[in-house]
Amino acid sequence: MKKLSYLLLVLAFSQIQAQKDFQGMAVYETKTQPPKFEGMRAGNRDITPEMQKNIEERMKQMLEKTFILNFDKSASIYKEEEKLETPGQGNGGMRMMMSSMMGGGGTFYKDVKNKTYTVDKEFMGKEFLVVDSLPKLDWKLEQETKQIGGYNCYKATAVKQASKTDFRNFRPKNNETKKTDEAKKTSGETKTNFEDNFEIPKEIVITAWYTPEVPVNQGPENYWGLPGLILEVNDGRTTILCSKIVLNAKDKVEIKPSKKGKVISQKDYDETVIKKMEEFREMNRGRAGGPPPMGR
């Protein structure tokens, strides 16, 4: 009897230790469909098909990225994979600004146990450390299933408020809005700026696919809250898809938040970015010529 109790104790301790040491890594590929520019204007000029093709190709390159998610039972870090730029493809300041406006940052740390996150961001030459509570989505668990990389996944949907500082949420204005703006421009009330061609929806629908076979409350970016690792997320324009999973690798990764930058809440950071974007927009409003250069 004593021997059996001892074995049960050892087994329980081993399970606790295994959970404590559990760690995984997931690779995610992100792709965002660039907005269409047909019929749009930049300054006092129409965007030609050649300009349109060039802009869309440049944006496509900047919007296709690879990220690494390292996770354990209670926390994770999500970071863009470092790559050497191909000569002649550098986009300089434009790339940095676009990165900041596409949810970009350094290390995105999620603590699902305490429901907080920390992410270091650089914007307009300043370093910020955004610390805030994890957004809680009201996930609706669906019955639909599919396989991703050999894992059985289940569908979940949610609706979230669109961020005004994430360029991926920008949508081309509909025809009615364009007609109103065109009427104002014709009457001399305003001049067309490149950014005036876009608007941001109030809400966006999120579709996620998670697998209970990896039982962690984690996912890419700030997504979490499902009974299994999220392997795919789509908001209609952007798709984040897991391409590789490694569980309990021999070499462990230290999962901890960054400490560099001025500590700021998400709300205050968004207000700072929006203010600078508006200043930039007003400074360029009415200027003749094409859209901001995308690098040479």
Side-chain angles (χ1 to χ4, degrees):
M1 189 69 181
K2 288 183 178 180
K3 197 170 185 179
L4 178 60
S5 299
Y6 175 76
L7 288 174
L8 290 174
L9 184 63
V10 170
L11 181 60
F13 178 79
S14 299
Q15 290 178 334
I16 293 173
Q17 191 64 30
Q19 287 187 347
K20 182 180 178 182
D21 295 337
F22 172 81
Q23 192 175 107
M25 182 273 289
V27 179
Y28 291 88
E29 311 289 340
T30 70
K31 292 185 178 182
T32 298
Q33 179 185 358
K36 298 298 181 182
F37 297 94
E38 295 97 331
M40 293 187 179
R41 295 175 61 84
N44 297 318
R45 296 190 303 170
D46 291 326
I47 295 180
T48 65
E50 184 180 353
M51 291 170 59
Q52 174 188 329
K53 183 178 179 181
N54 181 267
I55 294 170
E56 290 179 1
E57 184 59 34
R58 297 276 186 171
M59 291 184 68
K60 181 180 178 182
Q61 292 176 5
M62 287 190 286
L63 293 168
E64 292 184 353
K65 298 183 177 184
T66 301
F67 289 84
I68 306 296
L69 178 74
N70 288 286
F71 57 88
D72 56 27
K73 286 289 186 178
S74 61
S76 68
I77 51 176
Y78 184 73
K79 189 174 182 179
E80 183 178 355
E81 183 181 53
E82 295 181 2
K83 293 181 179 179
L84 293 175
E85 287 189 352
T86 303
Q89 290 189 346
N91 290 299
M94 186 63 184
R95 176 180 287 272
M96 292 179 63
M97 180 175 287
M98 289 284 286
S99 177
S100 296
M101 292 172 61
M102 291 187 296
T107 301
F108 197 116
Y109 172 85
K110 288 199 301 288
D111 182 345
V112 296
K113 183 178 180 180
N114 296 307
K115 299 179 175 57
T116 61
Y117 70 92
T118 302
V119 55
D120 53 315
K121 291 176 173 284
E122 183 177 342
F123 183 72
M124 303 295 284
K126 294 184 179 180
E127 291 185 338
F128 296 92
L129 189 66
V130 181
V131 181
D132 218 316
S133 300
L134 277 170
K136 182 171 174 49
L137 295 179
D138 185 15
W139 290 109
K140 179 183 178 182
L141 304 185
E142 311 279 0
Q143 295 298 316
E144 191 175 344
T145 65
K146 71 174 181 179
Q147 281 210 340
I148 299 177
Y151 289 89
N152 294 312
C153 297
Y154 293 83
K155 183 179 179 180
T157 57
V159 176
K160 76 171 185 178
Q161 186 175 355
S163 169
K164 295 181 179 180
T165 63
D166 190 339
F167 181 81
R168 296 172 302 181
N169 293 329
F170 285 26
R171 306 308 198 243
K173 288 184 177 178
N174 59 42
N175 291 330
E176 289 302 316
T177 307
K178 283 183 180 180
K179 289 178 181 178
T180 302
D181 292 345
E182 186 66 23
K184 288 182 179 180
K185 180 175 70 67
T186 304
S187 64
E189 292 183 37
T190 184
K191 293 182 179 180
T192 302
N193 190 45
F194 180 68
E195 292 87 351
D196 294 334
N197 294 297
F198 303 97
E199 61 186 355
I200 300 175
K202 291 183 179 180
E203 296 178 331
I204 53 178
V205 177
I206 305 298
T207 299
W209 295 88
Y210 66 95
T211 176
E213 295 172 19
V214 185
V216 294
N217 190 3
Q218 290 287 352
E221 293 189 358
N222 60 354
Y223 293 107
W224 69 292
L226 287 169
L229 179 65
I230 299 172
L231 300 190
E232 181 179 339
V233 179
N234 179 271
D235 70 358
R237 291 270 321 283
T238 298
T239 297
I240 306 173
L241 179 63
C242 180
S243 59
K244 180 181 179 181
I245 296 178
V246 177
L247 299 178
N248 291 320
K250 189 174 182 180
D251 297 326
K252 301 296 182 182
V253 175
E254 189 173 25
I255 299 176
K256 65 178 183 179
S258 174
K259 295 185 180 295
K260 64 178 183 179
K262 175 186 176 182
V263 176
I264 189 171
S265 69
Q266 186 68 60
K267 180 182 178 182
D268 289 342
Y269 175 78
D270 288 346
E271 289 177 352
T272 299
V273 173
I274 291 171
K275 182 180 178 181
K276 290 297 181 182
M277 288 169 61
E278 289 176 346
E279 289 176 0
F280 180 80
R281 178 174 176 168
E282 290 301 318
M283 183 175 65
N284 290 277
R285 183 177 293 279
R287 287 185 180 180
M294 304 289 283
R296 297 182 181 180

